[in-house]
Amino acid sequence: MTAPTPSLPALGGRKSSYRERVADALRAALIAGELRTGEVYSAPTLAARFGVSATPVREALLDLAKEGLVDSVPNKGFRVTAVSEKQLDEYTHVRALIEIPTTVQLARTADPVALTELRPVAEEIVTAAVAGDLIAYVEADLRFHLGLLALAGNEHLVEVVRDLRRRARLYGLTALAEQGRLQASAEEHLELLDALLARDESAVHAVMTRHLGHVRGLWAAPQPEPRSAPDA
């Protein structure tokens, strides 16, 4: 499968600046492994890749540096920060402690209308998986899960999970997309919504446990050793 040209993600009605949209796209590319750990990227190079101007890319990279996702390399650009297997395990463990029980609780408390409104986002995830558009996949996946957790009414919880998801690395997505296996994982979002609407707590728990299991399973294949960093 030929990878699609990266583009800025649609943000589902959330008002944001152009700089924020660029930052969201860069985060998604980083999480999906399209920006490689240890490599140095210049703002002009990434701007050309995403079809935008260099200024918002440079500003977005500075935002990502503040988040610890990239490091500034003087006179060259920004290097993608490495994340250890131990860190990824810890992030996933904390996410499971938060996301699984919170989502199960939503089977009792969530407004069915609010749940139904998330279906188009779930369908976006499937569409991105079929197209092999990993940036759109990661971005829509983030919107879906944060939108779902927001129904619990705890803004701090949502921000904690947002930060953990931004720090994730899902290097196995590329291989899954190339093998046509990513669609099955994408369709779990629709399965989860159906279970929530049916008020089936056992099914919700099962789907969420399986879904989060992919983060350190199917989606987490080791990343190849970084190539020599190009001059910026």
Side-chain angles (χ1 to χ4, degrees):
M1 176 184 296
T2 301
T5 301
S7 60
L8 295 183
L11 298 181
R14 179 168 66 86
K15 292 184 178 180
S16 60
S17 68
Y18 192 68
R19 170 177 173 170
E20 289 172 330
R21 290 187 63 206
V22 173
D24 284 339
L26 292 175
R27 285 190 196 93
L30 187 152
I31 291 168
E34 293 197 9
L35 299 185
R36 315 299 286 181
T37 296
E39 289 199 12
V40 177
Y41 296 90
S42 69
T45 297
L46 290 176
R49 179 173 177 174
F50 284 87
V52 297
S53 62
T55 297
V57 172
R58 187 174 293 107
E59 293 173 341
L61 286 167
L62 289 172
D63 290 339
L64 268 59
K66 292 177 183 177
E67 297 171 13
L69 302 181
V70 298
D71 294 319
S72 177
V73 180
N75 302 317
K76 287 192 174 182
F78 294 82
R79 179 181 289 113
V80 176
T81 304
V83 181
S84 70
E85 293 294 312
K86 183 175 184 293
Q87 287 174 307
L88 291 174
D89 287 338
E90 291 173 348
Y91 298 158
T92 305
H93 179 63
V94 175
R95 283 183 53 191
L97 291 174
I98 295 173
E99 293 187 60
I100 293 175
T102 301
T103 306
V104 170
Q105 181 182 13
L106 290 174
R108 300 191 300 270
T109 63
D111 179 358
V113 174
L115 290 172
T116 301
E117 288 174 349
L118 287 171
R119 190 171 295 277
V121 186
E123 291 170 347
E124 281 184 46
I125 300 171
V126 176
T127 299
V130 172
D133 188 340
L134 301 185
I135 293 178
Y137 181 98
V138 169
E139 194 280 329
D141 178 76
L142 179 68
R143 272 195 291 127
F144 175 87
H145 286 285
L146 295 185
L148 185 60
L149 292 173
L151 300 181
N154 187 329
E155 294 181 7
H156 184 66
L157 179 151
V158 173
E159 288 307 310
V160 169
V161 174
R162 185 195 305 274
D163 181 65
L164 290 169
R165 283 179 168 269
R166 284 175 173 174
R167 295 178 185 280
R169 298 292 189 275
L170 305 175
Y171 302 135
L173 291 183
T174 299
L176 288 174
E178 291 173 348
Q179 297 163 11
R181 298 169 59 199
L182 189 56
Q183 183 178 348
S185 296
E187 289 173 346
E188 289 177 346
H189 299 85
L190 295 168
E191 183 183 355
L192 178 60
L193 280 181
D194 289 340
L196 285 164
L197 288 165
R199 304 298 191 189
D200 188 337
E201 295 179 37
S202 296
V204 171
H205 188 280
V207 176
M208 276 301 297
T209 300
R210 182 187 347 129
H211 192 65
L212 277 179
H214 297 328
V215 175
R216 297 299 292 134
L218 289 174
W219 298 350
Q223 185 181 31
E225 291 297 318
R227 301 180 297 274
S228 298
D231 292 334

